[in-house]
Amino acid sequence: EKNVPGRMAVFTNISFVGFGEIDWVAKTVQQLDQDVKAGARGLKLYKEFGMEFKDEKDRIIAIDDSRLDPVWDKCGELHIPVLIHSADPKNFWLPVDKDNERWLELTKHPDRKRTEKDVAWETVIAQQHHLFLRHPKTTFIAAHFGWLANDLERLGNFLDSAKNVYVEF
């Protein structure tokens, strides 16, 4: 950031190791505070959040899990945005055939294909939208147009209802 003032911002991450343990929230909120004091300008969450990270009972942590509310509230208090890259393109859940616009990518990278064993795309998006609406004092950035670039009407309607949400591309 020093070499390009005003043009770059460093975001921090949180660890989900130990999520569900009694002191996880307090430690995570304290770490966020320290990271911002050290120069972090936002919080970034990777696509594994909502799809792979698990709690103490070995269940996938839902994006809108209320145990995370203190984290989102802290981000709002610190005036830092939360960049969420949850899910994958919707087509990763669809059949890999001539009608799938991601056919070539999924053919070359079959590990990207999602199955019925994965959390459903609509579930991930619904949880994300629920989270955004539940925390209007926190700024959220939904990565990749919130995976709604193919449905701009739906995206626009959601953004109209969630003034604290931005998208990036």
Side-chain angles (χ1 to χ4, degrees):
E1 189 174 283
K2 291 177 184 174
N3 293 331
V4 286
R7 297 197 57 200
M8 284 184 61
V10 175
F11 278 40
T12 188
N13 306 116
I14 59 175
S15 171
F16 286 91
V17 173
F19 180 83
E21 294 175 4
I22 294 172
D23 59 348
W24 184 90
V25 170
K27 286 180 180 178
T28 300
V29 168
Q30 181 182 24
Q31 185 64 54
L32 265 175
D33 202 35
Q34 291 172 358
D35 292 348
V36 169
K37 286 177 183 169
R41 304 280 302 274
L43 172 63
K44 163 75 188 267
L45 292 153
Y46 294 98
K47 70 179 181 178
E48 291 83 3
F49 175 52
M51 295 186 4
E52 294 179 26
F53 293 148
K54 295 186 177 182
D55 67 9
E56 77 285 4
K57 295 179 181 171
D58 202 38
R59 294 179 304 205
I60 291 176
I61 303 165
I63 294 168
D64 59 352
D65 189 311
S66 62
R67 295 175 288 179
L68 288 161
D69 286 348
V71 173
W72 317 131
D73 292 342
K74 185 65 173 181
C75 290
E77 175 189 320
L78 293 169
H79 305 289
I80 61 169
V82 178
L83 172 59
I84 293 186
H85 179 289
S86 294
D88 269 324
K90 186 175 185 177
N91 289 57
F92 284 15
W93 277 261
L94 300 177
V96 181
D97 60 19
K98 65 180 179 60
D99 296 319
N100 189 324
E101 70 180 34
R102 297 284 185 142
W103 172 85
L104 181 60
E105 178 181 4
L106 291 168
T107 301
K108 288 185 172 215
H109 304 281
D111 58 309
R112 295 181 185 174
K113 175 73 175 102
R114 298 292 175 175
T115 69
E116 65 278 349
K117 293 178 187 174
D118 295 299
V119 178
W121 183 86
E122 284 290 348
T123 299
V124 175
I125 299 305
Q127 289 173 358
Q128 186 170 270
H129 289 183
H130 182 241
L131 168 68
F132 297 162
L133 292 170
R134 198 169 72 217
H135 293 277
K137 293 181 180 177
T138 302
T139 300
F140 292 95
I141 304 167
H144 306 291
F145 278 84
W147 299 116
L148 293 173
N150 289 354
D151 191 347
L152 294 177
E153 183 175 357
R154 180 177 174 189
L155 176 61
N157 289 334
F158 178 72
L159 292 174
D160 286 344
S161 70
K163 302 297 184 191
N164 59 322
V165 179
Y166 298 83
V167 294
E168 64 79 34
F169 57 92

